[in-house]
Amino acid sequence: MRQHLQQHVADKFSRKLRFFKGLVSQPKTVGAIVPTSVYMARRMASVANPKSGLPVLELGPGTGVVTRALLRRGVAPENLVAVEYSPEFCRHLRDELPAVRLIRGDAFRLDDTLGALRTARFDCVISGIPLLNFPVESRVRLLEDVLSRIPRGRPFLQFSYGPSSPIPPGHGHYSVTRFGIEIRNIPPAQMWMYRRAG
């Protein structure tokens, strides 16, 4: 039991160390001072439908907290496509979750990044990209792009530390809904759900 606890603490420390290395090497791609909490990861993963037959697209998985929550929800590793920009986080994810379909690339250029999967349909899209670090026009283009890759009515879920939606309403053909707030995250974060309008 003690050895199991020591291993758990060591693994948690290792994940945090990798997170901070990623933060230092590419600060614009990391939106928080600590990794996402398991509580928020679980809530974000709850929107995925493992029985849909479609893969799930995760943007900006970082250290893989939400990725693990999606796997625990029942999404098969081969049905989870994770796009990560940071080489440091990619190395970590390949070591920790080798069965997940990890792609190193730019989520703002999905056609190029997805390659052979550029025409794939996804059940939903879950994002940990720090959108507030990017211009509004880029955020809207990303949203419109991902909504074209999922069935109408299915969500694009994004979390943010700001008080309002990181992708403002009224800039395109989409609806914005507050999915919730997670106060057990550090800092507390809000989750936003976007769907194709109409």
Side-chain angles (χ1 to χ4, degrees):
M1 179 68 178
R2 183 175 178 180
Q3 185 177 12
H4 177 73
L5 179 60
Q6 288 174 334
Q7 185 63 47
H8 173 73
V9 171
D11 289 345
K12 193 168 184 180
F13 177 77
S14 178
R15 283 196 297 273
K16 284 196 169 30
L17 183 59
R18 285 190 179 97
F19 178 84
F20 285 118
K21 285 174 72 177
L23 177 60
V24 169
S25 65
Q26 295 187 24
K28 191 174 182 180
T29 66
V30 181
I33 55 171
V34 294
T36 303
S37 75
V38 294
Y39 306 104
M40 190 165 74
R42 192 179 303 137
R43 290 184 71 181
M44 294 185 74
S46 72
V47 304
N49 178 9
K51 297 179 181 177
S52 71
L54 296 173
V56 171
L57 178 60
E58 183 184 6
L59 304 178
T63 58
V65 180
V66 176
T67 315
R68 290 179 180 84
L70 285 163
L71 295 173
R72 284 193 295 271
R73 179 159 174 79
V75 177
E78 63 273 15
N79 277 342
L80 181 49
V81 178
V83 172
E84 175 56 55
Y85 187 80
S86 162
E88 180 67 36
F89 289 151
C90 282
R91 283 190 290 272
H92 165 70
L93 290 167
R94 285 196 178 101
D95 288 344
E96 297 287 318
L97 302 168
V100 170
R101 299 171 76 176
L102 176 66
I103 301 172
R104 182 181 182 270
D106 186 350
F108 291 90
R109 298 170 54 92
L110 275 179
D111 270 353
D112 294 337
T113 298
L114 290 174
L117 293 174
R118 68 171 51 90
T119 60
R121 299 284 283 171
F122 298 94
D123 167 63
C124 62
V125 180
I126 297 175
S127 172
I129 296 172
L131 288 182
L132 295 178
N133 290 347
F134 299 90
V136 171
E137 297 78 15
S138 298
R139 303 177 218 167
V140 172
R141 277 197 304 272
L142 173 65
L143 174 59
E144 295 280 9
D145 184 8
V146 297
L147 288 179
S148 72
R149 300 173 192 273
I150 61 179
R152 186 175 293 275
R154 293 299 291 147
F156 168 63
L157 190 66
Q158 171 74 45
F159 77 86
S160 177
Y161 301 106
S164 57
S165 168
I167 307 175
H171 287 252
H173 304 292
Y174 56 87
S175 63
V176 182
T177 308
R178 189 194 310 268
F179 185 64
I181 185 168
E182 182 51 70
I183 60 173
R184 291 171 292 185
N185 200 70
I186 301 175
Q190 297 195 75
M191 290 158 281
W192 299 91
M193 186 176 286
Y194 306 89
R195 290 187 172 96
R196 178 65 67 200

